[in-house]
Amino acid sequence: MQQRDALIVEYGPKFEGTAVRTDEGIVCVVPRQIRDRPDIQASMAELVQDLGGECGHCRFCPLGQDG
């Protein structure tokens, strides 16, 4: 079963996020400050795509959302 909700966490200002593949799908760890950093958004979206995912499908996730 794949979840379609995002859990947004805070690991400090230097953390830029990560995404990993699991048996059940992809797990993304996305910090709040990514909303103000289009360069980091692009990096995270590329990482997710490299794992076979599409950004913008998880509710409340800042990746792939306008504004």
Side-chain angles (χ1 to χ4, degrees), residues 2-3 9-10 12-13 19 23-24 27 40-42 46 61 66-67:
Q2 185 173 358
Q3 297 294 324
V9 297
E10 183 62 59
D23 289 341
E24 301 289 325
V27 175
I40 303 298
Q41 280 185 335
E46 185 176 339
C61 182
D66 293 332

Side-chain angles (χ1 to χ4, degrees), residues 7 10 20 22-23 40 51 53 55 64 67:
L7 173 62
E10 183 62 59
V20 295
T22 67
D23 289 341
I40 303 298
L51 293 171
C55 286

Side-chain angles (χ1 to χ4, degrees), residues 44-66:
M44 281 293 299
E46 185 176 339
L47 178 58
V48 171
Q49 290 166 358
D50 287 348
L51 293 171
E54 282 187 55
C55 286
H57 288 278
C58 297
R59 272 191 312 171
F60 308 120
C61 182
L63 295 175
Q65 294 182 358
D66 293 332

Side-chain angles (χ1 to χ4, degrees), residues 11-28:
Y11 289 116
K14 294 187 179 195
F15 181 75
E16 295 182 348
T18 190
V20 295
R21 177 162 285 292
T22 67
D23 289 341
E24 301 289 325
I26 298 171
V27 175
C28 298

